[in-house]
């Protein structure tokens, strides 16, 4: 089984994802680590990616999840997956558990402005919200909760549905 934590940049996908993977004893994949250098450079320059930039990246992510599942292992992935067509591309042919880390601009913008060492500038946050298609069937988690509370909510939900 694989769980994908999705949402706009700065919502806490990596922090919650790492903590959840530790809690469950599963592998953790940060989708940002799989972007090709051209994508990173584009985003660092404040230019939003287009679908042509995303398709090879999403295919690579799907392949990573398939490899983990083929070994009989489980994974938590942090991936924006803002549009349904991106989620469909990642899911193709199998079931993924989707968790939507939901927040608003007022909560997320200060987080992004204060973080360092990340290629995604706060200037792209508005375009992230514009692209977001909220998933109709994902578990929704309020990002105003602590990381520990988010992890507890997600892991309890996973245990109750397995």
């Amino acid at each position: 089984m694989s769980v994908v934590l999705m949402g706009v940049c700065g919502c806490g996908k990596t922090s919650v994802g790492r903590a959840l993977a530790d809690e469950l004893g599963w592998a953790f994949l940060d989708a940002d680590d799989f972007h090709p250098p051209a994508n990173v450079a584009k985003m660092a320059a404040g230019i939003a990616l287009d679908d042509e930039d995303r398709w090879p990246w999403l295919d690579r992510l799907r392949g990573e999840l398939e490899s983990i599942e083929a070994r009989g292992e489980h994974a938590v992935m942090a991936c924006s997956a803002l549009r349904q067509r991106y989620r469909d591309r990642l899911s193709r042919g199998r079931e993924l558990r989707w968790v939507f880390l939901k927040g608003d601009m007022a909560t997320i913008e200060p987080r992004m402005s204060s973080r360092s060492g990340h290629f995604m500038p706060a200037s792209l946050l508005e375009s992230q919200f514009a692209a977001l298609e909220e998933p109709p069937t994902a578990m929704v988690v309020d990002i105003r909760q602590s990381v520990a509370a988010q992890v507890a909510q997600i892991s309890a939900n996973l245990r109750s549905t397995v």
Side-chain angles (χ1 to χ4, degrees):
M1 170 193 319
S2 294
V3 175
V4 182
L5 304 181
M6 53 85 48
V8 300
C9 55
C11 70
K13 295 180 296 288
T14 299
S15 299
V16 174
R18 286 186 198 283
L20 180 62
D22 286 347
E23 166 87 12
L24 299 172
W26 293 5
F28 174 71
L29 302 171
D30 190 332
D32 286 345
D33 294 340
F34 295 86
H35 274 297
N39 283 10
V40 173
K42 192 171 184 179
M43 288 183 284
I47 302 167
L49 300 180
D50 59 30
D51 286 354
E52 294 309 309
D53 299 318
R54 286 187 185 94
W55 296 137
W57 170 67
L58 289 166
D59 291 342
R60 182 174 179 200
L61 294 174
R62 188 180 67 245
E64 293 292 328
L65 290 174
E66 288 171 350
S67 293
I68 289 168
E69 292 166 1
R71 294 191 304 268
E73 299 171 5
H74 308 288
V76 174
M77 177 182 281
C79 180
S80 54
L82 299 177
R83 295 189 186 271
Q84 186 61 47
R85 64 182 173 258
Y86 307 154
R87 295 187 291 272
D88 291 344
R89 186 113 175 192
L90 277 172
S91 297
R92 192 180 294 163
R94 68 188 190 296
E95 181 183 344
L96 295 175
R97 299 288 178 98
W98 293 96
V99 177
F100 175 33
L101 300 183
K102 186 173 183 172
D104 58 22
M105 185 87 74
T107 302
I108 297 171
E109 197 282 328
R111 291 180 179 190
M112 288 192 67
S113 295
S114 66
R115 71 182 183 181
S116 62
H118 196 281
F119 58 81
M120 179 71 92
S123 63
L124 287 178
L125 183 57
E126 193 171 315
S127 71
Q128 293 261 298
F129 275 104
L132 177 63
E133 296 170 0
E134 292 194 16
T137 59
M139 175 187 178
V140 178
V141 175
D142 185 340
I143 67 164
R144 293 173 295 179
Q145 300 179 87
S146 69
V147 169
Q150 291 177 66
V151 168
Q153 180 184 351
I154 297 164
S155 59
N157 180 275
L158 290 172
R159 280 192 284 278
S160 72
T161 59
V162 174

